[in-house]
């Protein structure tokens, strides 16, 4: 009987081991299915990200092209305005030189007037005397 008991005990132990292995396999299968779904979701997400990155790359390329065009346009316009400002600068120098010349002429006129003042005063007195004589002469006629 002891032999039958041991055999029955071995059968029960094998049955328990088989049930435990079955439970383990079921949980492993569920876990692997869950991991599979998660990896599928990750794959789908990465595909979406890849498409978005392609769109971003295209938009970035277009933006870079527009930026380069604007930089060239600004550079060209800056060069044109530089010529304009150089011309204005030349006009400013010319006006300054003309102003300086007028100041020198004014000083010379003042100096000449100061030197010739007594003679001019004398000439005016003679002129007034001549006009007075002329009026007197005309008045007698």
């Amino acid at each position: 009987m002891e032999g039958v008991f041991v055999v029955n005990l071995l059968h029960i132990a094998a049955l328990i081991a088989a049930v435990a292995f079955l439970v383990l396999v079921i949980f492993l299968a569920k876990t692997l299915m869950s991991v599979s779904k998660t990896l599928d979701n990750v794959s789908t997400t990465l595909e979406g990200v890849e498409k978005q990155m392609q769109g971003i790359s295209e938009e970035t390329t277009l933006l870079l092209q527009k930026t380069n065009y604007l930089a060239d346009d600004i550079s060209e316009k800056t060069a044109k305005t530089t010529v304009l400002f150089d011309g204005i600068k030349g006009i400013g120098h010319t006006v300054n030189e003309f102003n300086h010349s007028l100041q020198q002429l004014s000083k010379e006129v003042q100096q000449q007037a100061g030197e010739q003042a007594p003679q001019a005063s004398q000439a005016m007195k003679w002129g007034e005397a001549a006009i007075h004589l002329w009026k007197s002469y005309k008045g007698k006629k």
Side-chain angles (χ1 to χ4, degrees):
M1 232 172 121
E2 213 175 281
V4 174
F5 180 70
V6 172
V7 171
N8 282 339
L9 191 58
L10 283 174
H11 286 302
I12 292 172
L15 183 65
I16 291 173
V19 169
F21 186 74
L22 179 66
V23 170
L24 179 66
V25 168
I26 290 172
F27 281 115
L28 265 174
K30 285 185 178 181
T31 302
L32 289 176
M33 291 169 109
S34 177
V35 167
S36 177
K37 286 180 185 178
T38 301
L39 287 177
D40 286 343
N41 288 337
V42 168
S43 175
T44 304
T45 302
L46 286 177
E47 287 174 8
V49 168
E50 184 180 347
K51 288 178 184 176
Q52 289 176 353
M53 288 303 292
Q54 286 175 349
I56 290 172
S57 294
E58 291 171 5
E59 289 179 18
T60 303
T61 301
L62 289 174
L63 181 62
L64 185 60
Q65 289 172 349
K66 287 180 182 179
T67 302
N68 287 338
Y69 171 77
L70 286 174
D72 291 342
D73 188 44
I74 288 171
S75 177
E76 181 181 321
K77 288 179 180 174
T78 301
K80 288 179 182 178
T81 56
T82 300
V83 170
L84 176 67
F85 285 120
D86 287 344
I88 291 172
K89 183 178 177 183
I91 291 171
H93 286 304
T94 303
V95 168
N96 278 342
E97 289 174 6
F98 181 69
N99 192 19
H100 182 68
S101 297
L102 284 178
Q103 287 174 351
Q104 285 182 335
L105 179 64
S106 174
K107 286 178 185 177
E108 287 178 13
V109 167
Q110 285 177 349
Q111 185 181 7
Q112 291 287 333
E115 291 174 0
Q116 302 295 328
Q119 294 172 354
S121 175
Q122 188 66 28
M124 287 189 65
K125 286 180 186 177
W126 281 103
E128 285 178 9
I131 290 173
H132 182 63
L133 285 174
W134 177 258
K135 284 183 182 178
S136 297
Y137 175 73
K138 263 190 139 189
K140 289 183 182 178
K141 270 187 166 179

